[in-house]
Structures are given as structure tokens and as C-alpha cells.
């Protein structure tokens, strides 16, 4: 007898009041105890699926067709109250950002207690014992003490464990996990994913695992569905979806993802962006067609439907057999042989930074943020600084940019000593050393046009160029970062995240700096956009002889574009050297842990690199 | 403390530049110029202003604010007689404002999106536009004259009296075991409390409402909903403790306004408190009394500011660690 699916979504449409569809014809099914991964980039509509299940769609959106059956019962025919009653009891949710998902004014014990009270634990003593036990189940140390702690006293990883324990507390049939590891440090990510897998085993729950991370999905899930522009373009067993994808989009995504193993190769960049709900409404053919490397006439006029392929997947493509022909561009020969120049752009010798912190009664405490750093960045060299939160990466950035003074040691940035913090020196330093921020959105003043943002630094110069000259410079800079010339008069809100980050890079290039400091500049971006930015940075190196200090938590990204890497742990450099050497043969325990975490410890990632 | 020193200095200087002569004021109009001069020397008015201030401050910290020129008795005794009445009035008004304001804020928020909520908001705006003394006059007209439900004069009906224990009538009447007197005192307080409290409540309603709206956009509220908590337990168990913080700050920083409002409201209701004392003192240029009462207003504001800081500190665990 065929076992009943815990969740069965068929033909689900979610629409705006205008009729434009955010999700169209989504079919998903999860069997008992299985993990289904839904992979998609931002804007694909993947979070909407969870919102449909929870009945928490934003006001403007509504389910316009299709059905969701939970445990054999159609959710659409239930009253709001009944549906709400399912939440937390039969359906658990693990959020994306554990740091904000717990109430800051209540203790862990209070919040866990109110959840247990709701699911039927009547006595406070019973609730307390059960909470402690559940917290122990997710490997939280000293769980009894945690009860009286407030969320801000716990790390992100610990909070996510608390939330996972809460989600599984009622032995739910289904758990919806929306990007549960994205906001966590690399080494924590793997452990949290592992924990979810183990909880599924012990509690027998089914999981809808929403993620943008192909490799993570491949590691953790039984089945996978790839979502593009509100439509499922491919679904099938997780093991083969990366090894032998049957849809061009899946293939392109995996070719756009930098890897830690296998030979280094350039990333495939998909042109353009995902069409919005409004744009999709007027597309007659496949939504991917304008960006697809193997599309032809028929793809633009005729929408492909999900159909079984020879690889055992279901793929919405007219030409699934062409997918394997999609290849990443070949490496340009001179790029591989490139040597850094003789000049040293950035040098740190015994660099240390100590902060004096004061607590509320004024007691002083010394915090050693950086200790004895020795490293250098040569002309035209790309160096990646990796490390987790608290490793001192941000402090290093502040010192390099002269935002704070050096406690001991030497720091030479573009020929300026870090100890000289006079206004004139700092001004000269900042023409030579530029920073690009992590969040492309908040770094741009929304009231300035792109053209004026890009050349803003020229406005404060003594010999300030004329308006016409500035706009000519802006056009040059925008061309350098491959943005179309017509963005010059637009405003930041009219650009996508990737385009905004290009504007930020163009802006940093305005003063012809020798060193670019890039703080996690691709971590907020989707895989395909990340590939575009990384390839852009590589191209800039060929052209402008610029040096880059890339601060990142993503080892694969660092491996992809950097020559050397510096691994930081608790304010110290634990290892440094050429990327292939450090990541291929890590010596320090911490580097090993980082590499292991990034590889996910499974064979699937190897399959991925072999297939390419 | 430094704030206190600066304020007292400012008030002292302001009163010394007034074109009145305290010496002359403290003598009968028939006094000769020689007598006034002698009095000036006796009162230390011929010394430099800063020295006068030092002398005044010296006795003030010992609780001696000099003699009231009008009442011919120590200012401190006078002030202490009147203080309880005003404290009683302001406390009751504040309690009413908080209870009414928080309840209305919650109601309007819970009814969000409905006609009821918009109506509540309109009413709130109307009350906000009416100052406390205007509300006082309106209530006298409506509930004192047209529909005489409450007395509009003094603290007790004429002829009644209570043994003076604490000066707080509500306390004294209960201590004397006189529930009838207690109710009489209460009904005398009803209208002034209503006027002062109602005038203060729109700010609370507004701040609590917008703070709740902001709190509901936080992801922990969304997560609480995904755990299936009911609307009621999300509002009271999760949101309120966070959303109330701006209200605590508001009450602490704006209480001075309510306390100052007693000045006119006491006048309107012939309520024998500090406000009436202050107004009399101003009319008769009773400098020592004006100084003392001004300092009490200042101290009250400062005390409530610190109380609000302490409240926020207690309610917000992030500040504690």
C-alpha cells in the first residue's frame, strides 16, 4: 500500500490582486520522515510556500488556485482557527534568523514554557523538566542555566538550537525550515544542518527545507525541487540533481557556485536577472528563455511543462538532453600565469588592537581584538581573509582604513603608516584604499542618482571637476563594472541587489585606489549574482592592477578569486599561504574545521565537482 | 544634583532681577525709607547676588526657605501643608492616564483595520487638541453644572473635616474609618483628575499604538504566531512587554507637564494645593514661596525622569547585562 504523503501541494497559484502570479502551478509532495528541499534564488517565491502552509501570506497576496493537503486533509477547507491550531502542534517552523526570532524581553525558559503550555503541558514543574530535556536533546550545554537567560546572551547557533528544540517539541508531522542555516557561521551551519537531520530521524517528522544553497540541499535532502520565477523547473532525487541536472537553470546554478575541491575554473554567469511577477505575466514561453544558454525559438513562445526525463527527474524544459552541454567558460591562459607585482600595498607587522570596555558600574576590561598580525598584500594581489564572527575581521578593516588607531605593531597601507592619523594623511590614504560594504542597499543614499553616487568622492576635492566632467567619469566607471549607461540617472531603489553592489564597486574605484577592501561583499547575494560580481572583480584585476583584500566567511569564494588567504581565529592569524595550499592541505585545526564544514563532509560535493 | 543647582540658581537670579524690593514688601506700606534700608541690611540684600544665593542655598539645604512675606510663617511649613493635596491629585491623574491610555491603546490596536479603530484614533486626536484647563472647564460645565454629578470646588464638602494625619485625604479618611468621607473626597477629586488625566492620555495611546505596530513587525512575533500562540497571548504575553518601553519613557519625561498642569486646574477647582499657593505667591510677589515651589516642580520632574530610566532598565533585559 502506498503510504500517504504528509504534505501534498498541487497546482498551487499565489497571485497579486492584479492577477500577476508569484507562484504558479507548484506541485510538491513530502512522504513521512522525508526531507524535501526547495531551492531557489531570492524572488523565486520559495518563502511563499511556507507562508501558504502557515496561512500567513502578506495581505496583498492570495492563493488563487490549487490545494494544499496536510496529512490527507485539505487546508483550504479548514477554518482559520483550525489551521492556526495546527501550527506549533502538528506543523513546526524553524526560522531564518534565530537572533531575532525569540522575544528579547522574555527568558528562554519563559518562551519555551509558553510553547509547552500551549501544546498541553499543564504544570510548570513538568514544563521545566521537559524544557531541560529538550534542550539537552539539541546538545545545549548547561541547559538548566539557559532557562533564565535572555536571547541576547546566547549566540546565533545556540538560539537556532533552542528554536529547533521548540519546533520538534510537539512531535510535529511536518517541519518547515526556511533557510535555517543562512545567518549562521560556517562551522555552525554544518552542525545545525546535521542536528535537523538527526531530529527528523528521532521524531519521525517530514521536513520542507527551503534554501538557496544547492550543496546544502544535496547534503541534507532526500528530494529536491528547484524553483525559478515562481515555477518548479526541476524536481527529483537529491543525489542526482547536482550530478546530472535535467534543467538548464539547475545546471547553471551549480556552474555558478564556486567549489572548494576540483580544478579551479571560472564561474558561469547567467546574463540578466530573474523576471518579476509582472514581467512573467507577459512572457509566452519559458521564464528562463531570455537567460538560457541553450534556448531557441520554441522556448520563447511555448511554455515547457514538468515532464519525466531519462535521468529520473521531472524537468520543465523542451531540451533536457542539451543540459549537459552547458559548460563554464574556459580559463583565459594569461590569467592563470599572473604574478603579483613587486610593490607591497598593505603590510602588517605584529599588528594588535586592544579595546577598553566598561561595564555598567564602570569596571574596565581589556578586549584583545587583534593580536600579533603579520601579513602583506602585494600589488595586484588578491588576498582573502577568512574567519567567523568574533575573529577580528571587522577590526582589521577599521585599522586599515584608519578609522581607529593601532594599539601596537606596524600597519602600512598604500605607503601610509597606520599610526599617523592626521586629517591630511587620512584623506590621502582614503584615495588609495577604498572599502566596499557588505550590504549594498544601506551603503547607497537613496536620494542621490547613481551618477552622483559614483562620483561623490570627487565633490569634496579641492580641484573639484565640473559637473560634465564628473558625469563623464561616472559613465566610464559604470562601464567598467558592466552596468548599462542608462543607470546613471536612476536611483538606488530602481536597481537589483547585484546592480547596487556593482555601483558600490564603481564608487570605490572612483579615486583609482591601489587597494580595495571588500567586506563580505557577496554574502548577501544570490549564487548567480555572486558569480557575476566575482567574475567582475577578476576582470578588474586584469585591467586596473588593483589589489584586493576580500573578507569572507565563504572559503569557496576566497578560493575562487584570491591568490592567497589569511585564516583568522580569535584575533590571531592561524594560517596563511596560497589558497590551494591552505585549503587543500590545512595545517591548523581551525582551518581543518572550516574546510570540513564547507565541504559538508559528504560525497555529494565531490560528485558536483567531478561532473564539471 | 548638578541640574538642581543650576535650576535653583536660575530661579534665584530671575527673581532678583525683578523690580521689586523684598525688604519693602516685608514691611507695612507706612514704613519709612530708613526702616526699609535697615531691613535691607538685615535681610542681606546689600551683599552681592552670588553671596545672597550662597546664603539662601545654605539655609535651603537645611530645609529653611525663609519666611513667606504674605502668610507670615515659614515657607517650608506652608509648602508641606499644601504638597500632599497636589501629590494626591497628580498621582491619581497619572494613574488614570496610564490605565485609560494603555487600555485605549490596546483596544485601538486590537481593533486595527476596523471602523472602531479609526473612530478611536479620531477621538484621541480631539482630546489631544484640548489642553487640561479647557477640559476642566468642559467637565465643570457638563458634569458639574448641566448634570451635577460631581462637586467642582475644594477637596471636601463644606463643614466636613478629617483629622490630619498624612495630608493625603484619601488615606486620612480611610485611616479615620470614615468611608463616607472617603467617597466625598473621591468625588471632589473626580473632575480635576479626569481633566488632568485625560489630557495626558492621548500621548500614551499614540505612543503605545505605534510602538505595538512596530513590535508586530518583528520576527519574534511572526515566530510566535507560527508556534500557534493565540492573538491574545501574543499581544499580552509577547508584544506588550516590548511595546511598553516607549510608554515608560514618555511618562517619565512628560510627567513634569502633568504636574505643571495642576497649577491651572487647581485654580479652576479652588483646590487647596501647591498650584493655588504658587499663583497667590506670584500675585503678591512672595519670593521665598515662589522659589520653594519652583524647586519642587523641578525636583518632581527630575525624580520621574530617574524613575523612568530605572523602569526601562528593569523592563529591558538587554540593558542589564
Amino acid at each position: 500500500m502506498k503510504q500517504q504523503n504528509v504534505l501534498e501541494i498541487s497546482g498551487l497559484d499565489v497571485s497579486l490582486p492584479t492577477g500577476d502570479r508569484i507562484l504558479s502551478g507548484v506541485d510538491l509532495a513530502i512522504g513521512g520522515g522525508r526531507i524535501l528541499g526547495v531551492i531557489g534564488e531570492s524572488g523565486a517565491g520559495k518563502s511563499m510556500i511556507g507562508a501558504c502552509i502557515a496561512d500567513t501570506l502578506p495581505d496583498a497576496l492570495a492563493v488563487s488556485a490549487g490545494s494544499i493537503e496536510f496529512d490527507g486533509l485539505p487546508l483550504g477547507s479548514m477554518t482559520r482557527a483550525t489551521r492556526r491550531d495546527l501550527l506549533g502542534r502538528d506543523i513546526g517552523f524553524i526560522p531564518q534568523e534565530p537572533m531575532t526570532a525569540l522575544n528579547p524581553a522574555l527568558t528562554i525558559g519563559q518562551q519555551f514554557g509558553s510553547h509547552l503550555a500551549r501544546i498541553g503541558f499543564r504544570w510548570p514543574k513538568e514544563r521545566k523538566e521537559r524544557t531541560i530535556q529538550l534542550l539537552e536533546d539539541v546538545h545545549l550545554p548547561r541547559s538548566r542555566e539557559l532557562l533564565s537567560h535572555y536571547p541576547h546572551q546566547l549566540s546565533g547557533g545556540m538560539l537556532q538550537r533552542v528554536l529547533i528544540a521548540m519546533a520538534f517539541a510537539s512531535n510535529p508531522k511536518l517541519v518547515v525550515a526556511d533557510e535555517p542555516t543562512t545567518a549562521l557561521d560556517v562551522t555552525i551551519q554544518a552542525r545545525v544542518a546535521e542536528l535537523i537531520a538527526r531530529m527528523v530521524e528521532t521524531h519521525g517528522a517530514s521536513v520542507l527545507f527551503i534554501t538557496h544553497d544547492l550543496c546544502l540541499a544535496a547534503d541534507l535532502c532526500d528530494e529536491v525541487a528547484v524553483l525559478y520565477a515562481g515555477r518548479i523547473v526541476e524536481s527529483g532525487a537529491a543525489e542526482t540533481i547536482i550530478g546530472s541536472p535535467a534543467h538548464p537553470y539547475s545546471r547553471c546554478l551549480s556552474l555558478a557556485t564556486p567549489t572548494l575541491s576540483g580544478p579551479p575554473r571560472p564561474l558561469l554567469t547567467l546574463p540578466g536577472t530573474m523576471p518579476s511577477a509582472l514581467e512573467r505575466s507577459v512572457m509566452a514561453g519559458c521564464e528562463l528563455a531570455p537567460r538560457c544558454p541553450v534556448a531557441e525559438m520554441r522556448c520563447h513562445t511555448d511554455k515547457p511543462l514538468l515532464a519525466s526525463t531519462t535521468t529520473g527527474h521531472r524537468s520543465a524544459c523542451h531540451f533536457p538532453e542539451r543540459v549537459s552541454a552547458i559548460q563554464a567558460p574556459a580559463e583565459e591562459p594569461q590569467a592563470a600565469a599572473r604574478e603579483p607585482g613587486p610593490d607591497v600595498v598593505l603590510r602588517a607587522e605584529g599588528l594588535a588592537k586592544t579595546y577598553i570596555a566598561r561595564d555598567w558600574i564602570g569596571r574596565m576590561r581589556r578586549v584583545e581584538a587583534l593580536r600579533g598580525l603579520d601579513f602583506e598584500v602585494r600589488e595586484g594581489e588578491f588576498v582573502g581573509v577568512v574567519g567567523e564572527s568574533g575573529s577580528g575581521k571587522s577590526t582589521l578593516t577599521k585599522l586599515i582604513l584608519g578609522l581607529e588607531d593601532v594599539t601596537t605593531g606596524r600597519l602600512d597601507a598604500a605607503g601610509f603608516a597606520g599610526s599617523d592619523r592626521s586629517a591630511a594623511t587620512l584623506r590621502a590614504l582614503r584615495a588609495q584604499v577604498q572599502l566596499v560594504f557588505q550590504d549594498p542597499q544601506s551603503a547607497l543614499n537613496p536620494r542621490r542618482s547613481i551618477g552622483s553616487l559614483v562620483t561623490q568622492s570627487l565633490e569634496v576635492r579641492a580641484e573639484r571637476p565640473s559637473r560634465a566632467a564628473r558625469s563623464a567619469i561616472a559613465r566610464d566607471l559604470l562601464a567598467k563594472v558592466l552596468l548599462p549607461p542608462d543607470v546613471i540617472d536612476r536611483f538606488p531603489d530602481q536597481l537589483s541587489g547585484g546592480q547596487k553592489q556593482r555601483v558600490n564597486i564603481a564608487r570605490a574605484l572612483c579615486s583609482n585606489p591601489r587597494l580595495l577592501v571588500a567586506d563580505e561583499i557577496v554574502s548577501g547575494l544570490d549564487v548567480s549574482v555572486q558569480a557575476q560580481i566575482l567574475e567582475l572583480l577578476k576582470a578588474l584585476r586584469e585591467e586596473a592592477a588593483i589589489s584586493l583584500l576580500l573578507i569572507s566567511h565563504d572559503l569557496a569564494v576566497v578560493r575562487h578569486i584570491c591568490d592567497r588567504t589569511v585564516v583568522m581565529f580569535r584575533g590571531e592569524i592561524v594560517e596563511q599561504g596560497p589558497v590551494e595550499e591552505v585549503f587543500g592541505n590545512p595545517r591548523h585545526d581551525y582551518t581543518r574545521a572550516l574546510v570540513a564544514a564547507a565541504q559538508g563532509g559528504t560525497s555529494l560535493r565531490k560528485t558536483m565537482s567531478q561532473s564539471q | 544634583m548638578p541640574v538642581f543647582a543650576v535650576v535653583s540658581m536660575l530661579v534665584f537670579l530671575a527673581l532678583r532681577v525683578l523690580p521689586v524690593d523684598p525688604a519693602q514688601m516685608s514691611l507695612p506700606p507706612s514704613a519709612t525709607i530708613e526702616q526699609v534700608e535697615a531691613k535691607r541690611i538685615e535681610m542681606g540684600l546689600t551683599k552681592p547676588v552670588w553671596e545672597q544665593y550662597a546664603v539662601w542655598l545654605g539655609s535651603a539645604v537645611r530645609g529653611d526657605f525663609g519666611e513667606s512675606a504674605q502668610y507670615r510663617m515659614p515657607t517650608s511649613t506652608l509648602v508641606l501643608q499644601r504638597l500632599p493635596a497636589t501629590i494626591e491629585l497628580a498621582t491619581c491623574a497619572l494613574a488614570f492616564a496610564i490605565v485609560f491610555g494603555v487600555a485605549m491603546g490596546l483596544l485601538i490596536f486590537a481593533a486595527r483595520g476596523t471602523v472602531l479603530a479609526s473612530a478611536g484614533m479620531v477621538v484621541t486626536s480631539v482630546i489631544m487638541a484640548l489642553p487640561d484647563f479647557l477640559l476642566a472647564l468642559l467637565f465643570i460645565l457638563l458634569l458639574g453644572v448641566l448634570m451635577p454629578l460631581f462637586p467642582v470646588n475644594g477637596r471636601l464638602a463644606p463643614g466636613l473635616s478629617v483629622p490630619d494625619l498624612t495630608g493625603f485625604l484619601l488615606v486620612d479618611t480611610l485611616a479615620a474609618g470614615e468611608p463616607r468621607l472617603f467617597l466625598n473626597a473621591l468625588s471632589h477629586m473626580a473632575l480635576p483628575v479626569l481633566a488632568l488625566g485625560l489630557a495626558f492620555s492621548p500621548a500614551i495611546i499614540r505612543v503605545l499604538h505605534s510602538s505595538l505596530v512596530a513590535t508586530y513587525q518583528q520576527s519574534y512575533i511572526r515566530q510566535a504566531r507560527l508556534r500557534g500562540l493565540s492573538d491574545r497571548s501574543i499581544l499580552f504575553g509577547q508584544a506588550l512587554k516590548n511595546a511598553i518601553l516607549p510608554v515608560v519613557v514618555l511618562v517619565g519625561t512628560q510627567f513634569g507637564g502633568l504636574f505643571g498642569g495642576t497649577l491651572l486646574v487647581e485654580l479652576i477647582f479652588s483646590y487647596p494645593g501647591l498650584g493655588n499657593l504658587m499663583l497667590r505667591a506670584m500675585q503678591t510677589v512672595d519670593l521665598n514661596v515662589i522659589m520653594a515651589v519652583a524647586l519642587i516642580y523641578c525636583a518632581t520632574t527630575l525624580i520621574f525622569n530617574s524613575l523612568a530610566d530605572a523602569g526601562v532598565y528593569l523592563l529591558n533585559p538587554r540593558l542589564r547585562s
Side-chain angles (χ1 to χ4, degrees):
Chain A
M1 198 183 100
K2 187 179 162 268
Q3 213 191 346
Q4 190 184 29
N5 286 326
V6 169
L7 183 76
E8 192 151 340
I9 298 177
S10 36
L12 185 71
D13 281 7
V14 170
S15 309
L16 289 159
T18 51
D20 299 307
R21 282 182 291 185
I22 303 289
L23 287 181
S24 40
V26 168
D27 295 317
L28 292 171
I30 314 179
R34 309 282 286 174
I35 306 181
L36 170 74
V38 172
I39 302 173
E41 296 186 280
S42 48
K46 55 192 191 301
S47 293
M48 289 304 140
I49 299 174
C52 287
I53 296 170
D55 196 21
T56 54
L57 279 174
D59 283 341
L61 302 181
V63 173
S64 51
S67 69
I68 306 176
E69 270 184 27
F70 172 70
D71 208 20
L73 302 167
L75 289 180
S77 65
M78 294 181 189
T79 63
R80 281 202 94 116
T82 321
R83 291 189 66 171
R84 187 138 178 188
D85 203 45
L86 289 175
L87 306 182
R89 217 189 281 279
D90 297 306
I91 308 177
F93 290 85
I94 304 173
Q96 174 167 9
E97 301 227 335
M99 285 78 133
T100 56
L102 284 166
N103 196 326
L106 301 174
T107 63
I108 302 295
Q110 285 171 328
Q111 303 192 51
F112 220 116
S114 75
H115 178 54
L116 290 181
R118 154 129 202 304
I119 61 176
F121 289 83
R122 204 173 290 169
W123 309 111
K125 194 171 176 315
E126 184 191 13
R127 288 203 289 265
K128 190 175 170 194
E129 292 311 314
R130 182 80 184 131
T131 305
I132 292 169
Q133 200 213 321
L134 285 163
L135 291 179
E136 272 165 7
D137 284 352
V138 293
H139 300 302
L140 279 167
R142 297 196 307 272
S143 50
R144 192 172 289 270
E145 281 168 45
L146 282 184
L147 297 188
S148 56
H149 279 46
Y150 287 93
H152 70 274
Q153 296 168 305
L154 274 62
S155 70
M158 290 169 90
L159 290 173
Q160 194 61 296
R161 280 165 197 274
V162 171
L163 285 155
I164 290 171
M166 259 173 158
F168 284 96
S170 56
N171 286 314
K173 296 198 176 72
L174 175 69
V175 170
V176 179
D178 191 348
E179 304 255 15
T181 61
T182 310
L184 305 174
D185 271 329
V186 202
T187 51
I188 311 291
Q189 279 184 6
R191 272 182 254 156
V192 166
E194 242 172 66
L195 175 67
I196 293 176
R198 206 169 42 72
M199 293 296 275
V200 167
E201 222 160 275
T202 45
H203 292 262
S206 307
V207 176
L208 179 67
F209 194 87
I210 298 165
T211 182
H212 70 281
D213 188 338
L214 269 176
C215 306
L216 181 65
D219 270 357
L220 191 67
C221 303
D222 301 305
E223 284 109 36
V224 154
V226 180
L227 201 64
Y228 181 78
R231 195 180 285 278
I232 291 181
V233 294
E234 179 171 11
S235 68
E239 303 94 59
T240 51
I241 202 118
I242 289 171
S244 49
H247 193 278
Y249 180 63
S250 319
R251 172 81 178 164
C252 291
L253 270 190
S254 78
L255 289 175
T257 311
T259 55
L260 253 191
S261 45
R265 55 172 173 79
L267 302 177
L268 177 81
T269 53
L270 273 178
T273 52
M274 186 188 300
S276 69
L278 275 68
E279 289 162 339
R280 285 172 225 162
S281 300
V282 295
M283 293 174 93
C286 173
E287 281 86 357
L288 186 66
R291 306 172 73 190
C292 182
V294 293
E296 54 179 67
M297 268 320 287
R298 186 177 160 210
C299 300
H300 292 274
T301 53
D302 192 3
K303 227 172 223 115
L305 298 173
L306 266 182
S308 293
T309 64
T310 46
T311 49
H313 291 186
R314 277 151 48 82
S315 163
C317 181
H318 293 306
F319 311 105
E321 68 284 354
R322 295 188 187 174
V323 169
S324 56
I326 302 173
Q327 289 296 338
E331 182 108 44
E332 285 173 40
Q334 85 271 17
R338 207 184 37 80
E339 282 290 320
D343 284 6
V344 174
V345 179
L346 180 73
R347 170 179 286 143
E349 279 169 17
L351 181 66
K353 172 75 189 173
T354 307
Y355 290 104
I356 307 286
R358 275 172 204 279
D359 62 11
W360 63 281
I361 51 167
R363 282 180 304 201
M364 290 208 300
R365 201 161 49 89
R366 292 165 60 83
V367 181
E368 291 190 320
L370 293 177
R371 273 181 307 217
L373 263 52
D374 292 299
F375 71 96
E376 57 176 44
V377 178
R378 311 255 296 274
E379 193 181 5
E381 193 179 30
F382 278 24
V383 173
V385 178
V386 296
E388 302 189 329
S389 42
S391 62
K393 293 177 298 179
S394 312
T395 308
L396 179 61
T397 317
K398 285 181 199 154
L399 294 185
I400 294 172
L401 291 163
L403 296 173
E404 283 180 7
D405 55 349
V406 173
T407 308
T408 54
R410 272 175 55 91
L411 178 71
D412 260 350
F416 297 98
S419 48
D420 179 7
R421 297 186 70 237
S422 65
T425 311
L426 286 180
R427 203 174 307 132
L429 167 76
R430 279 171 198 151
Q432 299 287 310
V433 182
Q434 279 285 316
L435 175 70
V436 183
F437 292 97
Q438 170 169 10
D439 180 9
Q441 169 81 35
S442 60
L444 298 174
N445 182 345
R447 287 165 197 278
R448 272 180 171 254
S449 72
I450 300 300
S452 85
L453 279 169
V454 166
T455 54
Q456 196 174 357
S457 65
L458 299 178
E459 291 171 20
V460 295
R461 295 237 181 118
E463 70 290 5
R464 176 176 156 169
S466 71
R467 183 175 284 271
R470 288 208 305 271
S471 97
I473 294 170
R475 257 193 300 279
D476 275 358
L477 288 167
L478 292 174
K480 236 181 219 173
V481 296
L482 308 176
L483 280 172
D486 62 323
V487 301
I488 195 163
D489 294 321
R490 290 206 225 154
F491 289 88
D493 286 345
Q494 295 167 286
L495 304 187
S496 70
Q499 288 176 317
K500 279 182 216 160
Q501 202 56 296
R502 283 164 195 262
V503 170
N504 280 313
I505 294 172
R507 202 178 183 201
L509 294 176
C510 181
S511 60
N512 284 318
R514 295 175 66 194
L515 174 67
L516 214 56
V517 180
D519 189 355
E520 298 277 9
I521 56 168
V522 291
S523 56
L525 303 175
D526 280 317
V527 179
S528 64
V529 182
Q530 170 178 301
Q532 293 170 353
I533 299 283
L534 293 180
E535 291 306 313
L536 169 68
L537 286 173
K538 273 175 132 181
L540 285 176
R541 171 162 62 176
E542 303 306 321
E543 198 177 308
I546 201 167
S547 307
L548 176 80
L549 189 73
L550 177 75
I551 293 164
S552 177
H553 69 279
D554 191 334
L555 304 194
V557 163
V558 169
R559 174 184 185 243
H560 180 73
I561 67 163
C562 294
D563 309 300
R564 286 190 311 112
T565 182
V566 171
V567 183
M568 288 184 65
F569 180 59
R570 298 202 182 141
E572 285 176 281
I573 294 178
V574 295
E575 194 164 353
Q576 61 176 311
V579 277
E580 293 301 328
E581 224 163 89
V582 173
F583 296 151
N585 182 21
R587 300 224 183 86
H588 192 274
D589 284 346
Y590 178 69
T591 320
R592 254 179 247 140
L594 272 184
V595 172
Q599 278 170 339
T602 68
S603 55
L604 286 165
R605 290 186 193 233
K606 285 181 208 127
T607 330
M608 180 171 165
S609 43
Q610 273 158 16
S611 74
Q612 289 150 9
Chain B
M1 257 318 164
V3 184
F4 215 63
V6 172
V7 171
S8 65
M9 210 179 307
L10 282 178
V11 178
F12 191 86
L13 285 178
L15 294 181
R16 282 294 177 272
V17 276
L18 282 182
V20 289
D21 186 349
Q24 197 169 23
M25 305 256 329
S26 62
L27 291 171
S30 57
T32 62
I33 293 176
E34 288 75 30
Q35 281 172 318
V36 173
E37 266 317 302
K39 187 76 183 171
R40 283 177 65 92
I41 292 166
E42 182 199 325
M43 291 174 75
L45 292 174
T46 47
K47 293 176 186 162
V49 176
W50 64 266
E51 216 178 307
Q52 293 180 34
Y53 174 69
V55 170
W56 175 85
L57 193 66
S59 34
V61 291
R62 289 195 305 270
D64 175 11
F65 290 87
E67 191 178 62
S68 156
Q70 189 198 355
Y71 294 90
R72 302 280 163 204
M73 60 194 286
T75 302
S76 50
T77 320
L78 200 60
V79 167
L80 283 179
Q81 260 176 19
R82 301 293 195 92
L83 187 59
T86 298
I87 290 182
E88 197 170 47
L89 177 63
T91 314
C92 289
L94 180 67
F96 174 80
I98 292 174
V99 171
F100 180 75
V102 169
M104 283 299 286
L106 286 172
L107 267 174
I108 293 177
F109 180 75
R112 60 191 178 282
T114 67
V115 188
L116 206 66
S118 338
M121 272 307 189
V122 171
V123 172
T124 309
S125 306
V126 170
I127 302 176
M128 198 172 228
L130 295 171
D132 43 17
F133 57 87
L134 211 59
L135 280 171
L137 293 173
L138 273 176
F139 282 130
I140 289 181
L141 208 62
L142 289 176
L143 299 174
V145 180
L146 291 179
M147 226 189 330
L149 290 174
F150 295 103
V152 296
N153 216 319
R155 294 177 84 191
L156 267 182
L160 298 179
S161 73
V162 193
D164 188 10
L165 270 174
T166 60
F168 299 103
L169 266 189
L170 296 182
V171 178
D172 287 351
T173 51
L174 281 183
E178 298 263 17
R180 222 170 41 81
L181 287 179
F182 174 78
L183 287 179
N184 190 279
L186 203 61
S187 70
H188 274 83
M189 283 180 68
L191 292 188
V193 163
L194 212 56
L196 279 171
L198 208 57
F200 192 53
S201 62
I204 296 181
I205 298 175
R206 283 288 180 88
V207 167
L208 178 63
H209 183 268
S210 56
S211 159
L212 278 168
V213 169
T215 304
Y216 267 63
Q217 277 156 12
Q218 302 293 313
S219 66
Y220 57 81
I221 295 295
R222 188 183 128 79
Q223 196 60 26
R225 189 171 289 139
L226 290 179
R227 283 202 297 275
L229 291 183
S230 65
D231 286 332
R232 176 193 292 265
S233 61
I234 288 176
L235 181 57
F236 290 101
Q238 302 279 331
L240 193 55
K241 201 172 171 194
N242 290 285
I244 204 76
L245 288 175
V247 177
V248 175
V249 175
L250 171 88
V251 168
T253 52
Q254 300 303 306
F255 179 74
L258 190 151
F259 202 73
T262 56
L263 203 83
L264 282 175
V265 171
E266 282 185 11
L267 175 74
I268 293 168
F269 289 97
S270 312
Y271 194 88
L274 273 190
N276 262 320
L277 178 67
M278 181 68 156
L279 286 171
R280 282 297 299 234
M282 283 166 145
Q283 281 158 4
T284 57
V285 204
D286 194 343
L287 295 180
N288 284 336
V289 175
I290 296 179
M291 269 307 282
V293 179
L295 284 184
I296 287 180
Y297 283 139
C298 165
T300 317
T301 309
L302 291 179
I303 288 169
F304 265 78
N305 263 326
S306 322
L307 282 180
D309 285 347
V312 169
Y313 185 75
L314 284 177
L315 286 171
N316 190 348
R318 277 165 294 190
L319 294 178
R320 264 179 276 151
S321 55

